[in-house]
Amino acid sequence: MITTWPAPAKLNLFLYITGRRADGYHNLQTLFQFLDYGDTLTITPDNSGDISLLTPVDGVEHEQNLIVRAARLLMQQAATAGTLPAQAGATIAIDKQLPMGGGLGGGSSNAATVLVALNHLWRTGFTPDQLAAMGLRLGADVPVFVKGHAAFAEGVGEQLHPVEPAEKWYLVAHPGVSVPTPLVFNDPDLPRDTPVRDISHIMQAPFSNDCEATVRKRFREVEQLVSWLLEYAPSRLTGTGACVFAEFDTESAARQVLELAPKWLRGFVARGVNVSPLHRRLSGQDAIT
């Protein structure tokens, strides 16, 4: 049985850094929303007892690929729980649309889709909370993709509170560079003292991203992109970049601006959605094929 599963992008509609922890990680307050756009995974369950990835990523070893790591982690946990079918395995391929290092959560989304899809296909019986806990071992952004609902997040991004932000249209643009997350979080000038606020207060103020000034300073391509988009609509960095998004009330307005884009800009138009396309598929709103 061959099945296809969406691995959607996410945006950080705002991102505030409220402190640095003793372990070197940062405490955040951020708002995750999904896009109706992303990668697609094709998963074929089999009786090989192993995981085969047909579409490797250049520069990423097979065993380090988040897709493979997620599948193996689920296998280990299900074997321990006694719910893994005998000789359970899978062949996985990915149609990659999301840029690496873009701040859209592509790798985390891929890992979450594998956890959710294989839990369903192998019938291993884990709850969303249990899958999210597994996902946190793979990356701080994985749990929100596993849970599948727009969320206000705190901690390192793993403390999730479901919310219902407006589902706007976005022009998402990539400047052609990759921004390494450690480079941003290790920058001595990065703001780390934004006051902790209640979500109701944050939602009443204009949104911003504490990483944006640092990324714009270090990457002229991002600076150029933000400056251009701001001429047309409210625009800001997502995550630690490099992607930037401009928000619109209608799809047509977003597409009109994309048509005006300079040749160096690579972008797409998508709608923000509060229920992940992955979970629409899982619930049967979109048929599993």
Side-chain angles (χ1 to χ4, degrees):
M1 176 178 60
I2 301 174
T3 62
T4 57
W5 297 82
K10 60 81 176 168
L11 294 178
N12 296 87
L13 299 186
F14 59 70
L15 175 58
Y16 304 115
I17 304 172
T18 59
R20 192 167 193 171
R21 299 158 28 139
D23 61 8
Y25 288 94
H26 291 74
N27 284 322
L28 312 172
Q29 289 191 306
T30 190
L31 177 57
F32 290 112
Q33 188 179 52
F34 305 104
L35 296 177
D36 62 352
Y37 180 93
D39 300 333
T40 301
L41 296 181
T42 301
I43 302 177
T44 307
D46 57 39
N47 295 318
S48 66
D50 199 6
I51 301 300
S52 175
L53 181 62
L54 300 181
T55 46
V57 177
D58 290 341
V60 180
E61 294 183 9
H62 180 268
E63 293 299 322
Q64 295 304 312
N65 189 299
L66 277 172
I67 290 173
V68 177
R69 289 176 59 198
R72 294 209 188 285
L73 178 58
L74 183 68
M75 292 177 82
Q76 293 165 3
Q77 296 296 306
T80 299
T83 60
L84 185 69
Q87 298 300 310
T91 299
I92 305 173
I94 181 170
D95 178 9
K96 190 69 179 169
Q97 299 296 321
L98 301 178
M100 296 179 66
L104 299 176
S108 294
S109 186
N110 295 163
T113 292
V114 168
L115 290 174
V116 170
L118 286 179
N119 183 59
H120 174 81
L121 294 168
W122 286 340
R123 304 188 185 281
T124 48
F126 291 110
T127 67
D129 285 343
Q130 289 172 319
L131 292 175
M134 292 181 212
L136 185 58
R137 296 170 58 178
L138 301 168
D141 286 352
V142 178
V144 72
F145 288 105
V146 169
K147 291 293 191 68
H149 200 283
F152 173 56
E154 298 180 285
V156 296
E158 86 288 5
Q159 300 172 25
L160 302 173
H161 314 278
V163 290
E164 298 285 345
E167 294 182 324
K168 292 182 175 289
W169 286 89
Y170 299 101
L171 192 173
V172 182
H174 192 281
V177 296
S178 179
V179 176
T181 297
L183 181 71
V184 178
F185 279 118
N186 289 325
D187 191 295
D189 296 327
L190 180 71
R192 297 179 171 89
D193 57 356
T194 296
V196 175
R197 292 170 289 168
D198 182 85
I199 179 62
S200 61
H201 291 94
I202 299 178
M203 295 296 286
Q204 294 173 11
F207 294 168
S208 63
N209 183 332
D210 282 346
C211 297
E212 186 174 306
T214 297
V215 177
R216 293 175 71 174
K217 174 188 70 175
R218 285 181 169 268
F219 296 87
R220 63 173 181 81
E221 296 91 346
V222 177
E223 166 63 30
Q224 187 178 13
L225 178 55
V226 176
S227 297
W228 185 81
L229 283 173
L230 280 172
E231 295 181 15
Y232 299 96
S235 306
R236 54 196 174 275
L237 195 73
T238 178
T240 55
C243 286
V244 176
F245 64 97
E247 63 181 50
F248 300 86
D249 291 328
T250 65
E251 180 182 11
S252 61
R255 293 200 179 280
Q256 286 173 10
V257 174
L258 182 59
E259 290 174 1
L260 299 173
K263 292 182 179 179
W264 51 264
L265 184 152
R266 294 181 293 164
F268 61 87
V269 170
R271 186 163 193 173
V273 291
N274 293 333
V275 176
S276 167
L278 171 63
H279 285 261
R280 288 180 57 85
R281 175 67 53 88
L282 189 66
S283 68
Q285 295 181 57
D286 293 319
I288 297 173
T289 59

